[in-house]
Amino acid sequence: DTPSPISHRSLARNGTGNTLMSWCIRAKELLAPKGVIALIVPLTLWTLLEHSIADHGLFLNKICFVKPKAHKDTHRVMISMSLEPSRIIREELIIEKEKRHDYTDEYRMLTSAFYLRKD
């Protein structure tokens, strides 16, 4: 949520709700009939986006509330949307256990393809 001093980086990381809806509208135009768009958004943008997904012809398929630690509040939301309605799958992902960099098994499994070093 903290904007970067580099304007294009700040836009990519902290785009407004309008920017996000522009992405969704464009994704709808580009999606194959069985295609899916997946996004990770800050919780603040999710609250804006949640109510307008259906208005733009997209359907929520999966939602995962991401918490940095079990006792912390949700700070990110991972969602997937498509052109077809389906049963919405709701999940929660906790990134770290109690110590810093002591990642949960679920987080390690989800992100393992993005890291070269496997601790």
Side-chain angles (χ1 to χ4, degrees):
D1 288 330
T2 305
S4 168
I6 303 167
S7 63
H8 65 279
R9 178 176 282 181
S10 184
L11 178 61
R13 290 184 176 177
N14 307 98
T16 66
N18 291 337
T19 302
L20 189 56
M21 283 318 306
S22 296
W23 275 92
C24 290
I25 291 166
R26 185 68 178 136
K28 181 185 173 208
E29 295 168 359
L30 296 173
L31 274 175
K34 302 272 185 202
V36 174
I37 179 175
L39 302 170
I40 302 172
V41 296
L43 184 62
T44 53
L45 281 183
W46 165 244
T47 56
L48 296 171
L49 183 62
E50 178 181 21
H51 301 292
S52 60
I53 290 172
D55 293 342
H56 289 85
L58 292 167
F59 296 92
L60 187 63
N61 304 115
K62 192 172 187 179
I63 178 169
C64 181
F65 296 96
V66 181
K67 298 170 108 179
K69 294 187 179 189
H71 64 278
K72 300 274 188 172
D73 292 332
T74 297
H75 70 281
R76 298 275 185 267
V77 181
M78 297 187 296
I79 59 174
S80 67
M81 301 172 287
S82 67
L83 299 172
E84 296 181 353
S86 68
R87 184 177 68 87
I88 300 172
I89 299 169
R90 296 181 186 277
E91 298 178 340
E92 180 180 87
L93 175 68
I94 298 169
I95 295 174
E96 292 178 323
K97 299 174 188 174
E98 290 307 309
K99 292 195 293 187
R100 183 148 169 78
H101 301 294
D102 185 11
Y103 300 110
T104 62
D105 292 340
E106 294 83 7
Y107 180 77
R108 285 180 186 275
M109 187 171 57
L110 181 66
T111 61
S112 65
F114 300 99
Y115 293 102
L116 297 175
R117 193 171 136 207
K118 311 280 190 214
D119 292 347

mmCIF file with all atom_site columns, all heavy atoms in Angstrom, residues 16-30 37 39 49 52 56 58:
data_model
loop_
_atom_site.group_PDB
_atom_site.id
_atom_site.type_symbol
_atom_site.label_atom_id
_atom_site.label_alt_id
_atom_site.label_comp_id
_atom_site.label_asym_id
_atom_site.label_entity_id
_atom_site.label_seq_id
_atom_site.pdbx_PDB_ins_code
_atom_site.Cartn_x
_atom_site.Cartn_y
_atom_site.Cartn_z
_atom_site.occupancy
_atom_site.B_iso_or_equiv
_atom_site.pdbx_formal_charge
_atom_site.auth_seq_id
_atom_site.auth_comp_id
_atom_site.auth_asym_id
_atom_site.auth_atom_id
_atom_site.pdbx_PDB_model_num
ATOM 1   N N   . THR A 1 16 ? -5.038  2.509   -8.842  1.00 0.00 ? 16 THR A N   1
ATOM 2   C CA  . THR A 1 16 ? -6.315  2.848   -8.225  1.00 0.00 ? 16 THR A CA  1
ATOM 3   C C   . THR A 1 16 ? -7.362  1.808   -8.578  1.00 0.00 ? 16 THR A C   1
ATOM 4   O O   . THR A 1 16 ? -7.148  0.958   -9.440  1.00 0.00 ? 16 THR A O   1
ATOM 5   C CB  . THR A 1 16 ? -6.798  4.219   -8.740  1.00 0.00 ? 16 THR A CB  1
ATOM 6   O OG1 . THR A 1 16 ? -7.083  4.080   -10.133 1.00 0.00 ? 16 THR A OG1 1
ATOM 7   C CG2 . THR A 1 16 ? -5.770  5.304   -8.503  1.00 0.00 ? 16 THR A CG2 1
ATOM 8   N N   . GLY A 1 17 ? -8.499  1.884   -7.942  1.00 0.00 ? 17 GLY A N   1
ATOM 9   C CA  . GLY A 1 17 ? -9.615  0.997   -8.275  1.00 0.00 ? 17 GLY A CA  1
ATOM 10  C C   . GLY A 1 17 ? -10.014 1.141   -9.732  1.00 0.00 ? 17 GLY A C   1
ATOM 11  O O   . GLY A 1 17 ? -10.358 0.170   -10.393 1.00 0.00 ? 17 GLY A O   1
ATOM 12  N N   . ASN A 1 18 ? -9.946  2.361   -10.265 1.00 0.00 ? 18 ASN A N   1
ATOM 13  C CA  . ASN A 1 18 ? -10.290 2.574   -11.678 1.00 0.00 ? 18 ASN A CA  1
ATOM 14  C C   . ASN A 1 18 ? -9.314  1.856   -12.593 1.00 0.00 ? 18 ASN A C   1
ATOM 15  O O   . ASN A 1 18 ? -9.707  1.285   -13.601 1.00 0.00 ? 18 ASN A O   1
ATOM 16  C CB  . ASN A 1 18 ? -10.315 4.074   -12.010 1.00 0.00 ? 18 ASN A CB  1
ATOM 17  C CG  . ASN A 1 18 ? -11.466 4.782   -11.350 1.00 0.00 ? 18 ASN A CG  1
ATOM 18  O OD1 . ASN A 1 18 ? -12.469 4.160   -11.009 1.00 0.00 ? 18 ASN A OD1 1
ATOM 19  N ND2 . ASN A 1 18 ? -11.332 6.075   -11.154 1.00 0.00 ? 18 ASN A ND2 1
ATOM 20  N N   . THR A 1 19 ? -8.039  1.893   -12.261 1.00 0.00 ? 19 THR A N   1
ATOM 21  C CA  . THR A 1 19 ? -7.028  1.191   -13.046 1.00 0.00 ? 19 THR A CA  1
ATOM 22  C C   . THR A 1 19 ? -7.290  -0.308  -13.005 1.00 0.00 ? 19 THR A C   1
ATOM 23  O O   . THR A 1 19 ? -7.217  -0.999  -14.016 1.00 0.00 ? 19 THR A O   1
ATOM 24  C CB  . THR A 1 19 ? -5.617  1.497   -12.509 1.00 0.00 ? 19 THR A CB  1
ATOM 25  O OG1 . THR A 1 19 ? -5.410  2.903   -12.542 1.00 0.00 ? 19 THR A OG1 1
ATOM 26  C CG2 . THR A 1 19 ? -4.559  0.817   -13.336 1.00 0.00 ? 19 THR A CG2 1
ATOM 27  N N   . LEU A 1 20 ? -7.612  -0.799  -11.841 1.00 0.00 ? 20 LEU A N   1
ATOM 28  C CA  . LEU A 1 20 ? -7.894  -2.219  -11.687 1.00 0.00 ? 20 LEU A CA  1
ATOM 29  C C   . LEU A 1 20 ? -9.107  -2.633  -12.504 1.00 0.00 ? 20 LEU A C   1
ATOM 30  O O   . LEU A 1 20 ? -9.106  -3.667  -13.164 1.00 0.00 ? 20 LEU A O   1
ATOM 31  C CB  . LEU A 1 20 ? -8.109  -2.533  -10.204 1.00 0.00 ? 20 LEU A CB  1
ATOM 32  C CG  . LEU A 1 20 ? -8.200  -3.994  -9.823  1.00 0.00 ? 20 LEU A CG  1
ATOM 33  C CD1 . LEU A 1 20 ? -6.967  -4.754  -10.295 1.00 0.00 ? 20 LEU A CD1 1
ATOM 34  C CD2 . LEU A 1 20 ? -8.358  -4.128  -8.331  1.00 0.00 ? 20 LEU A CD2 1
ATOM 35  N N   . MET A 1 21 ? -10.144 -1.826  -12.501 1.00 0.00 ? 21 MET A N   1
ATOM 36  C CA  . MET A 1 21 ? -11.327 -2.156  -13.292 1.00 0.00 ? 21 MET A CA  1
ATOM 37  C C   . MET A 1 21 ? -10.998 -2.089  -14.783 1.00 0.00 ? 21 MET A C   1
ATOM 38  O O   . MET A 1 21 ? -11.528 -2.874  -15.562 1.00 0.00 ? 21 MET A O   1
ATOM 39  C CB  . MET A 1 21 ? -12.494 -1.235  -12.949 1.00 0.00 ? 21 MET A CB  1
ATOM 40  C CG  . MET A 1 21 ? -13.164 -1.597  -11.629 1.00 0.00 ? 21 MET A CG  1
ATOM 41  S SD  . MET A 1 21 ? -13.418 -3.375  -11.313 1.00 0.00 ? 21 MET A SD  1
ATOM 42  C CE  . MET A 1 21 ? -14.295 -3.942  -12.733 1.00 0.00 ? 21 MET A CE  1
ATOM 43  N N   . SER A 1 22 ? -10.109 -1.202  -15.187 1.00 0.00 ? 22 SER A N   1
ATOM 44  C CA  . SER A 1 22 ? -9.680  -1.157  -16.588 1.00 0.00 ? 22 SER A CA  1
ATOM 45  C C   . SER A 1 22 ? -9.010  -2.465  -16.981 1.00 0.00 ? 22 SER A C   1
ATOM 46  O O   . SER A 1 22 ? -9.226  -2.989  -18.072 1.00 0.00 ? 22 SER A O   1
ATOM 47  C CB  . SER A 1 22 ? -8.706  0.002   -16.816 1.00 0.00 ? 22 SER A CB  1
ATOM 48  O OG  . SER A 1 22 ? -9.346  1.224   -16.580 1.00 0.00 ? 22 SER A OG  1
ATOM 49  N N   . TRP A 1 23 ? -8.188  -3.016  -16.069 1.00 0.00 ? 23 TRP A N   1
ATOM 50  C CA  . TRP A 1 23 ? -7.553  -4.312  -16.317 1.00 0.00 ? 23 TRP A CA  1
ATOM 51  C C   . TRP A 1 23 ? -8.609  -5.392  -16.467 1.00 0.00 ? 23 TRP A C   1
ATOM 52  O O   . TRP A 1 23 ? -8.517  -6.250  -17.346 1.00 0.00 ? 23 TRP A O   1
ATOM 53  C CB  . TRP A 1 23 ? -6.620  -4.675  -15.161 1.00 0.00 ? 23 TRP A CB  1
ATOM 54  C CG  . TRP A 1 23 ? -5.251  -4.099  -15.291 1.00 0.00 ? 23 TRP A CG  1
ATOM 55  C CD1 . TRP A 1 23 ? -4.811  -2.921  -14.788 1.00 0.00 ? 23 TRP A CD1 1
ATOM 56  C CD2 . TRP A 1 23 ? -4.146  -4.672  -15.975 1.00 0.00 ? 23 TRP A CD2 1
ATOM 57  N NE1 . TRP A 1 23 ? -3.499  -2.732  -15.114 1.00 0.00 ? 23 TRP A NE1 1
ATOM 58  C CE2 . TRP A 1 23 ? -3.060  -3.793  -15.840 1.00 0.00 ? 23 TRP A CE2 1
ATOM 59  C CE3 . TRP A 1 23 ? -3.964  -5.853  -16.687 1.00 0.00 ? 23 TRP A CE3 1
ATOM 60  C CZ2 . TRP A 1 23 ? -1.818  -4.058  -16.387 1.00 0.00 ? 23 TRP A CZ2 1
ATOM 61  C CZ3 . TRP A 1 23 ? -2.716  -6.111  -17.224 1.00 0.00 ? 23 TRP A CZ3 1
ATOM 62  C CH2 . TRP A 1 23 ? -1.670  -5.220  -17.083 1.00 0.00 ? 23 TRP A CH2 1
ATOM 63  N N   . CYS A 1 24 ? -9.597  -5.376  -15.595 1.00 0.00 ? 24 CYS A N   1
ATOM 64  C CA  . CYS A 1 24 ? -10.652 -6.398  -15.642 1.00 0.00 ? 24 CYS A CA  1
ATOM 65  C C   . CYS A 1 24 ? -11.462 -6.301  -16.936 1.00 0.00 ? 24 CYS A C   1
ATOM 66  O O   . CYS A 1 24 ? -11.782 -7.319  -17.549 1.00 0.00 ? 24 CYS A O   1
ATOM 67  C CB  . CYS A 1 24 ? -11.567 -6.272  -14.435 1.00 0.00 ? 24 CYS A CB  1
ATOM 68  S SG  . CYS A 1 24 ? -10.764 -6.749  -12.896 1.00 0.00 ? 24 CYS A SG  1
ATOM 69  N N   . ILE A 1 25 ? -11.768 -5.094  -17.352 1.00 0.00 ? 25 ILE A N   1
ATOM 70  C CA  . ILE A 1 25 ? -12.516 -4.902  -18.599 1.00 0.00 ? 25 ILE A CA  1
ATOM 71  C C   . ILE A 1 25 ? -11.691 -5.420  -19.774 1.00 0.00 ? 25 ILE A C   1
ATOM 72  O O   . ILE A 1 25 ? -12.190 -6.142  -20.636 1.00 0.00 ? 25 ILE A O   1
ATOM 73  C CB  . ILE A 1 25 ? -12.886 -3.414  -18.783 1.00 0.00 ? 25 ILE A CB  1
ATOM 74  C CG1 . ILE A 1 25 ? -13.929 -3.013  -17.736 1.00 0.00 ? 25 ILE A CG1 1
ATOM 75  C CG2 . ILE A 1 25 ? -13.389 -3.151  -20.197 1.00 0.00 ? 25 ILE A CG2 1
ATOM 76  C CD1 . ILE A 1 25 ? -14.126 -1.514  -17.608 1.00 0.00 ? 25 ILE A CD1 1
ATOM 77  N N   . ARG A 1 26 ? -10.418 -5.089  -19.795 1.00 0.00 ? 26 ARG A N   1
ATOM 78  C CA  . ARG A 1 26 ? -9.539  -5.550  -20.877 1.00 0.00 ? 26 ARG A CA  1
ATOM 79  C C   . ARG A 1 26 ? -9.376  -7.072  -20.828 1.00 0.00 ? 26 ARG A C   1
ATOM 80  O O   . ARG A 1 26 ? -9.379  -7.737  -21.867 1.00 0.00 ? 26 ARG A O   1
ATOM 81  C CB  . ARG A 1 26 ? -8.175  -4.865  -20.760 1.00 0.00 ? 26 ARG A CB  1
ATOM 82  C CG  . ARG A 1 26 ? -7.246  -5.172  -21.895 1.00 0.00 ? 26 ARG A CG  1
ATOM 83  C CD  . ARG A 1 26 ? -7.743  -4.553  -23.192 1.00 0.00 ? 26 ARG A CD  1
ATOM 84  N NE  . ARG A 1 26 ? -6.764  -4.852  -24.227 1.00 0.00 ? 26 ARG A NE  1
ATOM 85  C CZ  . ARG A 1 26 ? -7.079  -5.262  -25.438 1.00 0.00 ? 26 ARG A CZ  1
ATOM 86  N NH1 . ARG A 1 26 ? -8.330  -5.383  -25.791 1.00 0.00 ? 26 ARG A NH1 1
ATOM 87  N NH2 . ARG A 1 26 ? -6.141  -5.530  -26.309 1.00 0.00 ? 26 ARG A NH2 1
ATOM 88  N N   . ALA A 1 27 ? -9.267  -7.621  -19.632 1.00 0.00 ? 27 ALA A N   1
ATOM 89  C CA  . ALA A 1 27 ? -9.150  -9.079  -19.486 1.00 0.00 ? 27 ALA A CA  1
ATOM 90  C C   . ALA A 1 27 ? -10.392 -9.758  -20.034 1.00 0.00 ? 27 ALA A C   1
ATOM 91  O O   . ALA A 1 27 ? -10.296 -10.784 -20.713 1.00 0.00 ? 27 ALA A O   1
ATOM 92  C CB  . ALA A 1 27 ? -8.951  -9.449  -18.021 1.00 0.00 ? 27 ALA A CB  1
ATOM 93  N N   . LYS A 1 28 ? -11.544 -9.196  -19.770 1.00 0.00 ? 28 LYS A N   1
ATOM 94  C CA  . LYS A 1 28 ? -12.796 -9.772  -20.275 1.00 0.00 ? 28 LYS A CA  1
ATOM 95  C C   . LYS A 1 28 ? -12.771 -9.832  -21.802 1.00 0.00 ? 28 LYS A C   1
ATOM 96  O O   . LYS A 1 28 ? -13.206 -10.796 -22.412 1.00 0.00 ? 28 LYS A O   1
ATOM 97  C CB  . LYS A 1 28 ? -13.993 -8.961  -19.785 1.00 0.00 ? 28 LYS A CB  1
ATOM 98  C CG  . LYS A 1 28 ? -15.301 -9.529  -20.252 1.00 0.00 ? 28 LYS A CG  1
ATOM 99  C CD  . LYS A 1 28 ? -16.458 -8.652  -19.862 1.00 0.00 ? 28 LYS A CD  1
ATOM 100 C CE  . LYS A 1 28 ? -17.694 -9.210  -20.528 1.00 0.00 ? 28 LYS A CE  1
ATOM 101 N NZ  . LYS A 1 28 ? -18.682 -8.217  -20.782 1.00 0.00 ? 28 LYS A NZ  1
ATOM 102 N N   . GLU A 1 29 ? -12.237 -8.787  -22.410 1.00 0.00 ? 29 GLU A N   1
ATOM 103 C CA  . GLU A 1 29 ? -12.148 -8.747  -23.875 1.00 0.00 ? 29 GLU A CA  1
ATOM 104 C C   . GLU A 1 29 ? -11.194 -9.811  -24.408 1.00 0.00 ? 29 GLU A C   1
ATOM 105 O O   . GLU A 1 29 ? -11.397 -10.355 -25.492 1.00 0.00 ? 29 GLU A O   1
ATOM 106 C CB  . GLU A 1 29 ? -11.672 -7.366  -24.335 1.00 0.00 ? 29 GLU A CB  1
ATOM 107 C CG  . GLU A 1 29 ? -12.632 -6.245  -24.037 1.00 0.00 ? 29 GLU A CG  1
ATOM 108 C CD  . GLU A 1 29 ? -12.010 -4.878  -24.249 1.00 0.00 ? 29 GLU A CD  1
ATOM 109 O OE1 . GLU A 1 29 ? -10.818 -4.779  -24.619 1.00 0.00 ? 29 GLU A OE1 1
ATOM 110 O OE2 . GLU A 1 29 ? -12.715 -3.883  -24.026 1.00 0.00 ? 29 GLU A OE2 1
ATOM 111 N N   . LEU A 1 30 ? -10.142 -10.118 -23.660 1.00 0.00 ? 30 LEU A N   1
ATOM 112 C CA  . LEU A 1 30 ? -9.101  -11.028 -24.122 1.00 0.00 ? 30 LEU A CA  1
ATOM 113 C C   . LEU A 1 30 ? -9.284  -12.476 -23.687 1.00 0.00 ? 30 LEU A C   1
ATOM 114 O O   . LEU A 1 30 ? -8.660  -13.371 -24.257 1.00 0.00 ? 30 LEU A O   1
ATOM 115 C CB  . LEU A 1 30 ? -7.730  -10.538 -23.622 1.00 0.00 ? 30 LEU A CB  1
ATOM 116 C CG  . LEU A 1 30 ? -7.282  -9.179  -24.159 1.00 0.00 ? 30 LEU A CG  1
ATOM 117 C CD1 . LEU A 1 30 ? -6.013  -8.728  -23.456 1.00 0.00 ? 30 LEU A CD1 1
ATOM 118 C CD2 . LEU A 1 30 ? -7.084  -9.229  -25.660 1.00 0.00 ? 30 LEU A CD2 1
ATOM 119 N N   . ILE A 1 37 ? -8.701  -15.097 -15.192 1.00 0.00 ? 37 ILE A N   1
ATOM 120 C CA  . ILE A 1 37 ? -7.763  -14.040 -14.813 1.00 0.00 ? 37 ILE A CA  1
ATOM 121 C C   . ILE A 1 37 ? -7.573  -14.142 -13.306 1.00 0.00 ? 37 ILE A C   1
ATOM 122 O O   . ILE A 1 37 ? -8.533  -14.314 -12.556 1.00 0.00 ? 37 ILE A O   1
ATOM 123 C CB  . ILE A 1 37 ? -8.251  -12.625 -15.209 1.00 0.00 ? 37 ILE A CB  1
ATOM 124 C CG1 . ILE A 1 37 ? -7.230  -11.572 -14.750 1.00 0.00 ? 37 ILE A CG1 1
ATOM 125 C CG2 . ILE A 1 37 ? -9.644  -12.342 -14.697 1.00 0.00 ? 37 ILE A CG2 1
ATOM 126 C CD1 . ILE A 1 37 ? -7.530  -10.167 -15.192 1.00 0.00 ? 37 ILE A CD1 1
ATOM 127 N N   . LEU A 1 39 ? -5.629  -12.325 -9.915  1.00 0.00 ? 39 LEU A N   1
ATOM 128 C CA  . LEU A 1 39 ? -5.034  -11.091 -9.418  1.00 0.00 ? 39 LEU A CA  1
ATOM 129 C C   . LEU A 1 39 ? -4.706  -11.227 -7.939  1.00 0.00 ? 39 LEU A C   1
ATOM 130 O O   . LEU A 1 39 ? -5.375  -11.962 -7.211  1.00 0.00 ? 39 LEU A O   1
ATOM 131 C CB  . LEU A 1 39 ? -6.015  -9.925  -9.567  1.00 0.00 ? 39 LEU A CB  1
ATOM 132 C CG  . LEU A 1 39 ? -6.547  -9.593  -10.951 1.00 0.00 ? 39 LEU A CG  1
ATOM 133 C CD1 . LEU A 1 39 ? -7.676  -8.583  -10.838 1.00 0.00 ? 39 LEU A CD1 1
ATOM 134 C CD2 . LEU A 1 39 ? -5.438  -9.053  -11.827 1.00 0.00 ? 39 LEU A CD2 1
ATOM 135 N N   . LEU A 1 49 ? -13.321 -3.547  -5.583  1.00 0.00 ? 49 LEU A N   1
ATOM 136 C CA  . LEU A 1 49 ? -13.480 -4.449  -6.720  1.00 0.00 ? 49 LEU A CA  1
ATOM 137 C C   . LEU A 1 49 ? -14.616 -5.451  -6.531  1.00 0.00 ? 49 LEU A C   1
ATOM 138 O O   . LEU A 1 49 ? -15.346 -5.758  -7.472  1.00 0.00 ? 49 LEU A O   1
ATOM 139 C CB  . LEU A 1 49 ? -12.165 -5.191  -6.950  1.00 0.00 ? 49 LEU A CB  1
ATOM 140 C CG  . LEU A 1 49 ? -12.062 -6.130  -8.131  1.00 0.00 ? 49 LEU A CG  1
ATOM 141 C CD1 . LEU A 1 49 ? -12.239 -5.370  -9.431  1.00 0.00 ? 49 LEU A CD1 1
ATOM 142 C CD2 . LEU A 1 49 ? -10.727 -6.852  -8.109  1.00 0.00 ? 49 LEU A CD2 1
ATOM 143 N N   . SER A 1 52 ? -18.041 -4.666  -7.976  1.00 0.00 ? 52 SER A N   1
ATOM 144 C CA  . SER A 1 52 ? -18.175 -4.297  -9.382  1.00 0.00 ? 52 SER A CA  1
ATOM 145 C C   . SER A 1 52 ? -17.766 -5.394  -10.361 1.00 0.00 ? 52 SER A C   1
ATOM 146 O O   . SER A 1 52 ? -17.861 -5.209  -11.564 1.00 0.00 ? 52 SER A O   1
ATOM 147 C CB  . SER A 1 52 ? -17.395 -3.020  -9.669  1.00 0.00 ? 52 SER A CB  1
ATOM 148 O OG  . SER A 1 52 ? -16.048 -3.194  -9.379  1.00 0.00 ? 52 SER A OG  1
ATOM 149 N N   . HIS A 1 56 ? -19.212 -5.898  -14.510 1.00 0.00 ? 56 HIS A N   1
ATOM 150 C CA  . HIS A 1 56 ? -18.346 -5.873  -15.688 1.00 0.00 ? 56 HIS A CA  1
ATOM 151 C C   . HIS A 1 56 ? -18.319 -7.212  -16.417 1.00 0.00 ? 56 HIS A C   1
ATOM 152 O O   . HIS A 1 56 ? -17.448 -7.472  -17.243 1.00 0.00 ? 56 HIS A O   1
ATOM 153 C CB  . HIS A 1 56 ? -16.931 -5.437  -15.291 1.00 0.00 ? 56 HIS A CB  1
ATOM 154 C CG  . HIS A 1 56 ? -16.866 -3.985  -14.933 1.00 0.00 ? 56 HIS A CG  1
ATOM 155 N ND1 . HIS A 1 56 ? -17.154 -3.530  -13.672 1.00 0.00 ? 56 HIS A ND1 1
ATOM 156 C CD2 . HIS A 1 56 ? -16.590 -2.897  -15.677 1.00 0.00 ? 56 HIS A CD2 1
ATOM 157 C CE1 . HIS A 1 56 ? -17.053 -2.212  -13.657 1.00 0.00 ? 56 HIS A CE1 1
ATOM 158 N NE2 . HIS A 1 56 ? -16.710 -1.804  -14.859 1.00 0.00 ? 56 HIS A NE2 1
ATOM 159 N N   . LEU A 1 58 ? -17.835 -10.309 -15.293 1.00 0.00 ? 58 LEU A N   1
ATOM 160 C CA  . LEU A 1 58 ? -16.916 -11.340 -14.809 1.00 0.00 ? 58 LEU A CA  1
ATOM 161 C C   . LEU A 1 58 ? -17.518 -12.014 -13.579 1.00 0.00 ? 58 LEU A C   1
ATOM 162 O O   . LEU A 1 58 ? -18.350 -11.437 -12.889 1.00 0.00 ? 58 LEU A O   1
ATOM 163 C CB  . LEU A 1 58 ? -15.561 -10.722 -14.447 1.00 0.00 ? 58 LEU A CB  1
ATOM 164 C CG  . LEU A 1 58 ? -14.751 -10.190 -15.624 1.00 0.00 ? 58 LEU A CG  1
ATOM 165 C CD1 . LEU A 1 58 ? -13.597 -9.332  -15.123 1.00 0.00 ? 58 LEU A CD1 1
ATOM 166 C CD2 . LEU A 1 58 ? -14.233 -11.324 -16.485 1.00 0.00 ? 58 LEU A CD2 1
#
